[in-house]
Every structure is written in C-alpha cells, then in structure tokens.
Amino acid sequence: MHNKAKSLHTDIDTVLNNYDYDFSKVEIVILGNGHINNTYKLTTPEFEFVLQQINHDIFTKTVELSSNAQKINLHLLNQKNNGNYPLSVPQQVLTKAGATCIKIGTNYWRLMEFISNSYTLEEVESPEQAALVATAFANFSCALSDFPANDIAVIIEDFHDISFRMRQLKEAVENDLQDRLADCQALVNFCFDQQNFINHVVDISKKLPLHVTHNDTKINNLLFTSGDKPCAVIDLDTCMPGLLMHDFGDMVRTCCSNLAEDDTSTDKMFLKLDIFEALIQNYQNAFGDKMTTLEKDSLIVGAKLLPFIIGTRFLTDHLNGDNYFQVSRINHNLDRAISQIQLFSLVSEAESELVELAQ
C-alpha cells in the first residue's frame, strides 16, 4: 500500500472511531466525481453512509459549512413532516460529541446518511427529466423561503459577485504567473468587452430578494430512485444567501448545452431549447406566487450570468496555475473556460427566443 493510501486509510479509521456505529466490517468505495471534495460510500452489514473529506483549502469555513447544512436539513425535515417538502432529507450524522464534522490532522471530515438504492445521473437527457430537475431544486428553495437567509454563514465570500470575479480575472491577467496569457488573450478580451452585461447584472442584483440558494444545481447534485425520479437534493456545501437567478442559471449552464463542460469541440455546441423551456416553465410553476415578477425576469439574466461567471473563473484559474479546480490534462481549465464562454454567447444570441419560452 502506498504511503498516501495508507495514511488515508488510517485517517478514515480515526474518523470512524468518533461515531457511535460499528465500523469493524466496512466496505469503502469512492463516490461521485466532484471537482472539490473527496467523497466515499461506506457500507457495513447494517448501514450505508457517505463520508466526505472537505477541501479546507477551498472551503476555509469548514465548521460553518457543516453547521449550515445542519440548519438547512433540520428546517427541511420540519417542512417535510408538515407536508410542505416532497423530497427526502439525508441527515448529517453527529459525532459522539455532538459535532457536525471532525478534524483529523489538517483535514475535516463529516459523515452523512446514504439513501439506499439511490443514485446520481450525470446529464439531463429529455425535457421530461429537465422538468423533474427544475421542480426538485425549486421545491428545495421554496421550502426554505421562510428560513431567514442571513441565519446561515456565507461560506465563500462574493461567490457569484460578477464585479469581484472580474477583478480576480484582471489580477490574474496582470500577473500572468504561468506565462499563459498569450494563448488566451482573445478570450480574455472578450470577457472584458461584456461590460454592459456586467453592469446590468450588478444593477438587477441590488433589487432582488435574498433566498437560501443551493448555488450548485447540477443534475448530479440530486439523488434519484427507480424510474429516474428525484428523491433528494444533496451537496449543500455552497448553500448561502443568494438569488434565485443564480440557481436557475446554473441549471441552464449544466443542462442546456449538448456538450460536456470541458468538451473541446465548441464549434459544434448548440442550445437545447426544449430543455430550457422545461426548466424555466417548471421552475416558475413550482414557486407559484412565491417568486416576484422581477425574479421571473431575472431568470434569463441568470441563464447568461452563470456560464459567463464560471467561464471567467475557469479562465482565472488557468492563468493562476490551476490552483482551485481539479484538472486532469494540460489546459483543462482553459478548455472549460472556452466552453462556458461559448455557451454564454449562445444564450445571449437566443435571448429573445428564451424570453418567449418563459411565458
């Protein structure tokens, strides 16, 4: 066994000793393919769990992160018990000392319930499936609409603040730490040329009400059961005070392109309008009168904003040396940035048609 694997095994053993379950016979397998955390499925003869090593370099407020999840889960569970939330609520398992996470060495870990016979999906394949995804994430935010957004901690400051992200990109361009700017100067210029859009985002953001938002509404942050029916919203790491347009925009970003996030054949990218229509119609319908007119108008803004803001973040990370997002090949973050900015362009070009589909 390599030293790193041996150390990881020892750490996991130490973590599990802090929980009031018998882990003497446990099977551990890697779970999911997230960019940030390391996640494992634990199976004992009696129980199934999810064990997660939280990336404390990215999530520096690790205790607050697990505390947020606890508050949200308890609220959702109460809503479910009152008949106001249709999905399951997998709970965090508290340590013997009653803590929501535990620190071993320099790493933070948490244990969560695993919903038996559940699974994740990696892409939306039909408008019917898109409708289910939109409804599930809308149900999540809707059930939290009476939860005071400022009662949870801000885990990542300025997460969807476009002005902040553009300042980060500007700094990365000026420093050019890895001498990579020459190969992506045209993309950098395009991003900075979108100042009118950036100004519009800043203006509308000031007028929208705060919600508890998920901020990572990919389909693989839903659990499904037989028949591909959503049964739970998972991965609450980025749940913070935010705007509905952020959550809706991330659904569009991850569901409406025909290509994967890091696909390099961007000249073949197109927008799945039938998927978009299913997303926006069902997202709005699930909220009903809990969504204001301005919030409805903002959804199209979010559909443009999220590809743009994630694209600039990928581009910034590429220029800085790939310190944030995990990469598996040379120029991986640049490929992601090109793809996301192309999607932004396609959504912008189709805006008038998207407005029609939202009616």
Side-chain angles (χ1 to χ4, degrees):
M1 184 182 293
H2 295 299
N3 287 340
K4 187 175 181 180
K6 188 174 182 179
S7 175
L8 175 63
H9 192 275
T10 300
D11 281 356
I12 290 177
D13 284 346
T14 304
V15 169
L16 297 182
N17 285 336
N18 286 273
Y19 291 92
D20 206 10
Y21 289 88
D22 180 6
F23 290 105
S24 58
K25 297 178 181 178
V26 60
E27 178 186 349
I28 303 174
V29 296
I30 293 173
L31 187 65
N33 58 358
H35 291 332
I36 307 297
N37 297 320
N38 295 317
T39 308
Y40 307 90
K41 180 184 176 186
L42 275 55
T43 304
T44 74
E46 294 183 67
F47 301 102
E48 293 176 296
F49 299 96
V50 174
L51 178 66
Q52 191 169 68
Q53 180 186 346
I54 304 169
N55 187 328
H56 59 272
D57 292 324
I58 303 301
F59 297 117
T60 56
K61 298 180 180 179
T62 46
V63 175
E64 291 93 333
L65 180 153
S66 61
S67 176
N68 278 0
Q70 188 72 3
K71 291 177 182 178
I72 290 168
N73 280 339
L74 291 175
H75 184 85
L76 290 176
L77 190 60
N78 184 57
Q79 290 283 61
K80 182 175 179 63
N81 290 338
N82 289 330
N84 298 323
Y85 187 56
L87 303 176
S88 298
V89 188
Q91 297 290 307
Q92 292 182 134
V93 180
L94 300 182
T95 68
K96 294 174 183 177
T100 56
C101 66
I102 185 167
K103 186 178 183 182
I104 302 297
T106 60
N107 295 316
Y108 289 83
W109 300 78
R110 62 177 169 178
L111 192 68
M112 297 167 281
E113 294 176 344
F114 181 87
I115 297 179
S116 295
N117 302 314
S118 66
Y119 53 91
T120 57
L121 299 173
E122 290 303 316
E123 61 180 306
V124 169
E125 297 179 341
S126 69
E128 293 76 19
Q129 198 174 58
L132 294 173
V133 170
T135 300
F137 280 118
N139 286 336
F140 176 83
S141 290
C142 215
L144 290 163
S145 60
D146 61 346
F147 184 99
N150 289 318
D151 278 5
I152 59 173
V154 174
I155 299 302
I156 302 176
E157 295 286 344
D158 304 314
F159 190 52
H160 286 322
D161 184 328
I162 187 63
S163 299
F164 171 70
R165 295 304 183 184
M166 295 308 292
R167 289 196 298 272
Q168 284 187 313
L169 179 59
K170 184 174 184 289
E171 183 179 341
V173 167
E174 290 172 347
N175 292 333
D176 192 18
L177 298 174
Q178 304 294 320
D179 295 319
R180 293 175 171 180
L181 178 59
D183 291 333
C184 57
Q185 185 69 63
L187 187 62
V188 166
N189 292 345
F190 178 85
C191 291
F192 285 118
D193 284 344
Q194 307 310 307
Q195 194 59 50
N196 287 340
F197 171 67
I198 293 166
N199 291 342
H200 180 51
V201 170
V202 171
D203 180 60
I204 196 172
S205 296
K206 295 174 183 175
K207 302 172 183 176
L208 293 167
L210 277 181
H211 291 262
V212 175
T213 47
H214 187 279
N215 295 308
D216 194 10
T217 51
K218 299 190 293 284
I219 188 175
N220 63 9
N221 280 330
L222 292 175
L223 289 181
F224 291 80
T225 54
S226 58
D228 287 353
K229 297 292 176 64
C231 66
V233 174
I234 58 172
D235 194 356
L236 308 186
D237 296 350
T238 53
C239 283
M240 290 180 283
L243 307 177
L244 295 183
M245 72 173 182
H246 297 153
D247 275 4
F248 180 76
D250 209 34
M251 272 187 281
V252 171
R253 184 185 78 83
T254 55
C255 296
C256 290
S257 170
N258 64 310
L259 300 179
E261 181 179 77
D262 57 356
D263 196 305
T264 57
S265 53
T266 49
D267 57 320
K268 298 177 182 176
M269 183 185 292
F270 63 83
L271 205 58
K272 298 179 181 178
L273 294 177
D274 56 344
I275 299 294
F276 178 88
E277 182 177 18
L279 289 176
I280 199 162
Q281 291 283 349
N282 286 275
Y283 194 71
Q284 291 179 137
N285 290 343
F287 269 94
D289 59 6
K290 290 186 177 181
M291 185 184 291
T292 68
T293 299
L294 186 61
E295 284 182 305
K296 289 181 179 179
D297 293 342
S298 76
L299 298 184
I300 303 292
V301 178
K304 293 189 290 182
L305 174 61
L306 267 292
F308 182 73
I309 205 167
I310 300 298
T312 61
R313 290 177 61 199
F314 283 140
L315 183 55
T316 299
D317 200 29
H318 170 71
L319 290 168
N320 286 338
D322 308 312
N323 300 315
Y324 189 96
F325 298 103
Q326 292 181 5
V327 295
S328 58
R329 62 175 187 256
I330 295 173
N331 289 336
H332 198 170
N333 273 321
L334 179 58
D335 292 340
R336 290 166 170 156
I338 292 169
S339 172
Q340 293 304 291
I341 297 304
Q342 173 67 1
L343 181 56
F344 162 76
S345 298
L346 291 178
V347 175
S348 299
E349 291 164 9
E351 183 169 358
S352 59
E353 191 171 358
L354 302 184
V355 170
E356 290 288 324
L357 294 174
Q359 303 307 313

